[in-house]
């Protein structure tokens, strides 16, 4: 197949694996009825899996010039690997959402849940109360701060992930601070799992999380 379409063999294998995993997760019926429309930019199409992996592993220290910047060293956060310009800058030690909000670039491929002027990461509460800013970490996970107890409780409460790892691959961007380049993926939906679990708790006689100090803020957009 790779020879027929003149594509990199490893790329075809990677796409095939993703396809089978998607089929396994959603089931045959949903897979067959999906429209299957997917836009891939020429830039993304031209990159091999090795190039993608290498870019994810790049550090942004900048050598001697980076040293001269001192405390104001900035790094690159890539939020969509499908487009070359889908990045924003982050000053060392700043939360992902804070850096995103500083970015005023017009990203036509940003998530449709983003408000004008808020940057490419969807945000609501900025205090780990809503789960809107959850992201997946594709590269540079060791460049992020360790998860704190509040963030750990919240991502479990939202139904995103339950883990004891110090740096899990799912984070709340309003709590994760970066000290170098990071590549993330922004889900197209949010809080669906959390609201479902919340409803199940109430249905079996539990209390809504809105009755305690860790209340869930209902997102405005989905």
């Amino acid at each position: 197949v790779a020879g027929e379409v003149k594509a990199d063999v490893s790329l075809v294998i990677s796409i095939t694996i993703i396809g089978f995993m998607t089929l396994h997760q959603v089931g045959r019926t949903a897979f067959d009825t999906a429209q299957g429309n997917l836009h891939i930019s020429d830039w993304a199409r031209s990159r091999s899996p090795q190039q993608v992996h290498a870019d994810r592993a790049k550090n942004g220290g900048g050598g001697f010039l980076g040293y001269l910047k001192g405390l104001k060293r900035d790094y690159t956060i890539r939020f969509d690997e499908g487009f070359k310009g889908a990045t924003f800058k982050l000053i060392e030690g700043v939360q992902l959402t804070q850096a995103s909000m500083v970015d005023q670039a017009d990203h036509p491929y940003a998530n449709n849940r983003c408000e004008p002027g808020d940057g490419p990461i969807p945000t609501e509460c900025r205090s780990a109360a809503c789960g809107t800013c959850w992201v997946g970490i594709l590269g540079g996970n060791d460049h992020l701060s360790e998860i704190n107890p509040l963030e750990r409780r919240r991502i479990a409460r939202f139904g995103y992930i339950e883990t004891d790892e110090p740096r899990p691959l799912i984070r709340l961007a309003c709590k994760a601070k970066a000290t170098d380049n990071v590549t993330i993926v922004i889900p197209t939906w949010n809080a669906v799992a959390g609201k479902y679990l919340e409803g199940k708790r109430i249905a079996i006689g539990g209390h809504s999380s809105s009755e305690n100090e860790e209340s869930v803020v209902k997102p405005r957009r989905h």
Side-chain angles (χ1 to χ4, degrees), residues 75-88:
Y75 303 106
T76 300
I77 308 300
R78 175 166 293 283
F79 63 89
D80 190 332
E81 292 187 310
F83 301 92
K84 186 176 182 179
T87 64
F88 60 86

Side-chain angles (χ1 to χ4, degrees), residues 66 70-75 89-95 177-180:
L71 296 177
K72 292 188 177 181
R73 284 179 290 183
D74 56 35
Y75 303 106
K89 291 296 183 180
L90 175 144
I91 296 176
E92 184 172 6
V94 170
Q95 291 98 339
K177 298 180 180 180
T179 56
D180 211 316

Side-chain angles (χ1 to χ4, degrees), residues 18 27 92 140 154 186:
I18 293 172
E92 184 172 6
R154 300 311 287 156
I186 301 174

Side-chain angles (χ1 to χ4, degrees), residues 6 21 33 63 73 99 106 117 121 133 148 158-159 194 204 214:
K6 298 181 180 180
M21 287 302 299
T33 56
R73 284 179 290 183
D106 180 19
I121 296 181
C133 67
N148 63 32
F158 296 133
I204 61 176
E214 293 185 4

Side-chain angles (χ1 to χ4, degrees), residues 4-52:
E4 292 178 0
V5 299
K6 298 181 180 180
D8 188 282
V9 173
S10 58
L11 180 60
V12 174
I13 293 175
S14 300
I15 293 174
T16 303
I17 292 173
I18 293 172
F20 279 127
M21 287 302 299
T22 302
L23 174 62
H24 176 71
Q25 290 176 357
V26 305
R28 179 64 182 271
T29 301
F31 192 84
D32 287 342
T33 56
Q35 294 182 356
N37 297 327
L38 178 64
H39 173 68
I40 301 177
S41 67
D42 292 338
W43 175 78
R45 195 187 303 273
S46 67
R47 304 173 77 212
S48 69
Q50 290 81 5
Q51 288 175 311
V52 173

Side-chain angles (χ1 to χ4, degrees), residues 113 128 130-135 151-163 168-173 187 189-195 197 201 216 219:
R113 291 180 288 120
C130 70
T132 302
C133 67
W134 75 302
V135 296
E151 183 185 358
R152 189 183 302 279
R153 291 195 302 270
R154 300 311 287 156
I155 60 175
R157 186 78 178 185
F158 296 133
Y160 295 152
I161 188 174
E162 292 190 46
T163 177
L169 296 180
I170 292 179
R171 300 295 299 268
L172 296 181
W189 55 273
N190 66 281
V192 175
K195 288 189 290 185
L197 293 174
R201 292 189 190 98
V216 174

